[in-house]
Amino acid sequence: MILHIDMDAFYASIEQRDNPELKGKCVIVGGTSGRGVVSAASYEARRFGVHSAMPIFQAREKCPAGVYIPPRMARYRHVSGKVMAILQTFSPLVEPVSIDEAFMDITGCERLEGSPGHIARAIKTEITTRLKLTSTEGGAPERFQAKIASDMDKPDGLTIIPPRAVPDFIKSLPVEKVPGVGKNARRHLDMLGVRSGMEERGQGQDCGDRRAMAPVVSELIPQRHSVGIDDAVAVNDALDVERADAVG
């Protein structure tokens, strides 16, 4: 089983934690010049439509009352190190994928730590208790599924997809949730009437038409992802292919 741990609005949350006066306020971290972009936005700011990578001038138009703060990358890296250290206490197989998220392989940890849900809740509690920050966890047999799961209940959420639930999960998975499917691909797929992972496999309505368009769809959606298969050898080089197959 793979867990994906994603810190909630990481930069903005650290700023709110370090400065209690910012609690509950619209905090936008990013370049303060007119040409800068938003690095992170608190959930209060997101309610106004502010999001990461948005130009700062647009953020100011949407949220003029926001508190705009230049990034403190050294501080964020320091806190990130503490997050990763906490994760290492639950499993040695931790793969940071960015400053605020990581994958963990907890295969075999159940004997000592309990069920995947129990482990994920323990991680959340430890991060909140020690760092005064919230995180969202997703768990599933494969990395790509775990990442999608962590995006289903943000912020401060937890979603576990057990192996037996994967087929139904994939069947109902909107194509925009499939890694690698961007706006252009979604537009083309919508024209084909393809809206879920199972429809993409030709098992939805009008499947004859969809099968006829299979070469086009194949270019638009990573096929193995659409059926819940992740080619990545799970989490780090210490895992061999046999173990990766067992995880999936």
Side-chain angles (χ1 to χ4, degrees):
M1 181 67 75
I2 304 296
L3 293 182
H4 180 248
I5 294 84
D6 192 3
M7 300 301 295
D8 298 325
F10 190 50
Y11 298 177
S13 295
I14 291 174
E15 298 297 342
Q16 290 178 318
R17 184 199 67 174
D18 289 356
N19 183 355
E21 293 183 359
L22 297 178
K23 278 288 186 184
K25 294 185 178 180
C26 297
V27 175
I28 296 97
V29 178
T32 54
S33 70
R35 294 177 134 185
V37 297
V38 174
S39 298
S42 68
Y43 284 94
E44 294 86 352
R46 295 184 190 189
R47 297 191 188 105
F48 290 86
V50 179
H51 57 78
S52 297
M54 171 181 285
I56 285 290
F57 78 89
Q58 288 185 6
R60 291 186 182 277
E61 291 174 356
K62 291 178 176 291
C63 189
V67 180
Y68 291 81
I69 300 174
R72 297 186 296 157
M73 294 309 302
R75 178 61 171 162
Y76 308 149
R77 284 192 291 268
H78 176 72
V79 178
S80 176
K82 292 186 175 182
V83 172
M84 302 306 164
I86 289 174
L87 301 185
Q88 289 277 354
T89 65
F90 289 89
S91 171
L93 302 177
V94 176
E95 180 188 7
V97 291
S98 71
I99 195 171
D100 62 349
E101 62 178 317
F103 286 105
M104 293 176 58
D105 189 331
I106 58 170
T107 304
C109 297
E110 292 93 331
R111 294 180 182 177
L112 296 175
E113 304 287 351
S115 69
H118 179 84
I119 295 172
R121 280 188 290 271
I123 291 171
K124 289 174 63 65
T125 298
E126 193 72 5
I127 290 174
T128 300
T129 301
R130 292 178 57 182
L131 302 181
K132 310 302 179 188
L133 296 169
T134 64
S135 60
T136 297
E137 281 71 22
E142 298 287 352
R143 288 161 54 111
F144 117 93
Q145 299 160 359
K147 183 171 178 61
I148 292 171
S150 70
D151 196 42
M152 294 176 68
D153 188 26
K154 293 182 68 70
D156 198 18
L158 168 60
T159 301
I160 300 294
I161 305 168
R164 66 182 182 278
V166 168
D168 287 338
F169 169 73
I170 296 298
K171 181 177 180 179
S172 61
L173 181 66
V175 292
E176 62 266 22
K177 293 290 188 178
V178 177
V181 177
K183 291 181 179 180
N184 290 336
R186 289 203 306 269
R187 185 172 64 252
H188 287 292
L189 290 167
D190 189 60
M191 292 171 61
L192 299 175
V194 177
R195 297 179 180 84
S196 73
M198 190 57 74
E199 287 181 335
E200 181 274 323
R201 296 299 299 168
Q203 297 182 44
Q205 296 178 351
D206 302 324
C207 60
D209 291 341
R210 292 193 179 96
R211 287 189 181 118
M213 296 301 294
V216 177
V217 176
S218 296
E219 294 182 2
L220 297 175
I221 291 187
Q223 293 288 309
R224 292 172 66 79
H225 278 174
S226 71
V227 292
I229 301 173
D230 190 345
D231 278 328
V233 175
V235 190
N236 74 12
D237 293 339
L239 290 172
D240 58 24
V241 175
E242 290 184 0
R243 185 167 186 186
D245 289 342
V247 171

